[in-house]
Amino acid sequence: MRLDRYISECTELSRANAKKALHRGDITCDGVVVKNSGFKVDKDCEVHLSGERLYHVSSRYIMLNKPADTVCSNVGEAGYPSVLTLLDLPKAETLQIAGRLDADTTGLTLITNDGQWGHRITSPRKACNKRYRVWLAEPLVETAEAELAEGIQLKTETKPVLPAKLERISDTEVLLTITEGKYHQVKRMFAALGNRVTALHREQVGDIKLDEILKPGEWRELTPEEIGSV
């Protein structure tokens, strides 16, 4: 990898500003000042910027416990900040969010710079399970399990959504597992059952479960096992 690109990906510096730092002599590679932006950095090279060691992470896989009143986009929308502002990482705004949640929905959000990995989560063809804890305004109808398992028809859709699994915690609290990610899908599914969602929290995507130790707004890197499960 070119040295200017390496610096840019490890810091908040643009490629142009990385080149300026190089020309000033601020960069050392294995203890030697390097000013050539095209210098090739290998995986064993120790790069320092003004004496501080830089560490390059080629791929990132992050679990975030999304708080309410944030949006799953690379920039803020409708007065809400992006969830990416919660990540204390260089170039966080360039990462991809694998599956959007509404501003008022909380819970497991997966973030990566590996486009193929993210696609396996979001592609309808992959049928990746997403489990939500749902709180409802009214007691759930007795036929809800059967109707959702059969595939419920949503307004404005031309065909029913795919079958979903419902686990009843109480008449107003349930766990719902779906394999799609249509616009406001969970809320629309319960609206079709004559009910209204009052709170929504995503607990699991595929085999990746939200880490219980993460408070709203906190995040961690995924383990190799979690990454490989997708």
Side-chain angles (χ1 to χ4, degrees), residues 10 26 29 35 54 70 102 117 127 147 150 164 195 220-222:
C10 291
D26 294 344
C29 296
K35 295 188 175 183
L54 301 183
T70 57
D102 297 337
W117 188 85
E147 291 187 58
E150 188 174 309
N195 215 317
R220 68 163 172 81
E221 301 277 357
L222 295 183

Side-chain angles (χ1 to χ4, degrees), residues 50-100:
S50 300
E52 182 178 348
R53 175 79 181 272
L54 301 183
Y55 294 91
H56 185 269
V57 179
S58 58
S59 296
R60 286 199 177 276
Y61 306 89
I62 292 168
M63 168 192 300
L64 168 73
N65 186 356
K66 178 189 176 297
D69 299 328
T70 57
V71 291
C72 290
S73 62
N74 288 64
V75 295
E77 295 178 359
Y80 297 119
S82 166
V83 294
L84 298 181
T85 62
L86 300 170
L87 305 180
D88 183 20
L89 291 172
K91 311 293 184 183
E93 71 280 359
T94 66
L95 298 174
Q96 303 171 21
I97 302 163
R100 294 174 64 104

Side-chain angles (χ1 to χ4, degrees), residues 140-194:
L140 195 61
V141 295
E142 293 183 1
T143 59
E145 286 89 344
E147 291 187 58
L148 291 169
E150 188 174 309
I152 202 163
Q153 179 69 48
L154 304 182
K155 288 183 178 180
T156 74
E157 299 291 337
T158 59
K159 59 182 180 180
V161 296
L162 294 177
K165 179 184 178 182
L166 180 73
E167 301 173 60
R168 195 183 295 246
I169 308 301
S170 72
D171 281 345
T172 56
E173 181 182 347
V174 301
L175 295 175
L176 180 73
T177 301
I178 62 175
T179 58
E180 298 171 288
K182 296 182 182 296
Y183 181 70
H184 293 325
Q185 180 172 340
V186 174
K187 295 174 182 177
R188 294 165 67 200
M189 290 172 75
F190 286 101
L193 292 171

